[in-house]
Amino acid sequence: MVGLWLIALHMLGDFILQGAWMSANKLKSHAVRTIHVGVYMIPFGLFCYIRQMYFGLSDARCLGFMVTLFVLHWLTDSKRFCTGNPWPAKPIMVDQTLHVLQLAVCGSLFL
């Protein structure tokens, strides 16, 4: 069940909360990428807070999850995963696959 929540929160943070300005500039600017990832992390912060209040998630585990996910998302978004492949959907597919794998690892380690 936690995995489904993490994917839903990822979709919220990476698509709905990401404005066109962030999307257009996050590869060019460290500051814009940092803002994007900060906004992306808001739903996960609320999720961790609820897990702490009702399910006893420790502060250390919550912090570990948040920091690790922030760093991994920032690093993944710093590179457009593209090869000479003419298929235009490939970069986003690779990007999203990496993000889902990161969620699986972070969720397994910390939540």
Side-chain angles (χ1 to χ4, degrees), residues 80-95 97:
R80 180 63 63 183
F81 296 94
C82 188
T83 64
N85 191 326
W87 185 44
K90 184 175 182 179
I92 191 116
M93 296 297 286
V94 172
D95 177 76
T97 300

Side-chain angles (χ1 to χ4, degrees), residues 94-110:
V94 172
D95 177 76
Q96 293 304 309
T97 300
L98 289 172
H99 287 317
V100 169
L101 290 172
Q102 293 162 4
L103 288 170
V105 169
C106 288
S108 296
L109 290 175
F110 298 107

Side-chain angles (χ1 to χ4, degrees), residues 18-36:
Q18 179 177 208
W21 170 78
M22 286 183 225
S23 180
N25 295 297
K26 68 182 181 182
L27 289 173
K28 301 177 221 170
S29 167
H30 294 326
V32 175
R33 188 175 323 118
T34 302
I35 291 167
H36 158 63

